[in-house]
Amino acid sequence: MATSFSPVHKSSDLVKDYCCGACRSRSIEEIAEMYCETCLKCFCGKCIFHHSQLYADHITYGRGDMNKWPLTKKMEDFLYKCEIHKDKKLKMFCKDHSKPCCTNCAFLNH
């Protein structure tokens, strides 16, 4: 009897952009399917079921309403990082150049 082994099923290209906060506290990494605006936390399908049973009046948003979810820490770091000085965060807005800049850019360019 021949068996086939495929390493593809064990790997994944899936990026977990939002993880369930309840699962993460138990060292489990599950993809979040809902965000609770009241709790300010993301939940997977299993956890949102229990959350909804306990907190029926909380406002939740699914993946279809991700514009109402907060930015992930990785995305926030990416958006606030200086393009020139990778180790610096954007701290100011330069009116002369009409763009955000870090303290190094502000010092060097003015």
Side-chain angles (χ1 to χ4, degrees):
M1 175 196 294
T3 59
S4 64
F5 174 75
S6 174
V8 176
H9 76 282
K10 295 199 180 227
S11 66
S12 174
D13 290 336
L14 182 66
V15 176
K16 294 181 179 178
D17 52 354
Y18 290 90
C19 293
C20 174
C23 288
R24 183 178 281 163
S25 68
R26 297 180 316 226
S27 300
I28 301 169
E29 201 165 306
E30 284 291 328
I31 296 172
E33 295 178 21
M34 301 289 281
Y35 170 72
C36 177
E37 187 176 66
T38 310
C39 294
L40 303 175
K41 289 187 179 183
C42 295
F43 296 98
C44 67
K46 292 177 187 176
C47 293
I48 196 65
F49 173 78
H50 298 293
H51 174 272
S52 297
Q53 298 295 311
L54 294 170
Y55 308 107
D57 60 334
H58 282 197
I59 300 166
T60 58
Y61 300 107
R63 289 235 169 219
D65 293 318
M66 287 189 76
N67 58 330
K68 297 178 182 172
W69 291 31
L71 288 176
T72 63
K73 181 70 173 142
K74 288 181 183 179
M75 182 59 78
E76 186 178 323
D77 288 344
F78 172 75
L79 291 174
Y80 290 124
K81 191 175 286 186
C82 178
E83 292 176 5
I84 299 166
H85 306 100
K86 303 292 183 191
D87 61 327
K88 298 287 185 182
K89 286 189 174 186
L90 300 172
K91 299 272 185 182
M92 304 170 210
F93 184 81
C94 176
K95 289 182 182 179
D96 295 338
H97 296 109
S98 296
K99 66 178 192 176
C101 60
C102 71
T103 52
N104 284 7
C105 287
F107 180 73
L108 296 171
N109 296 328
H110 297 281

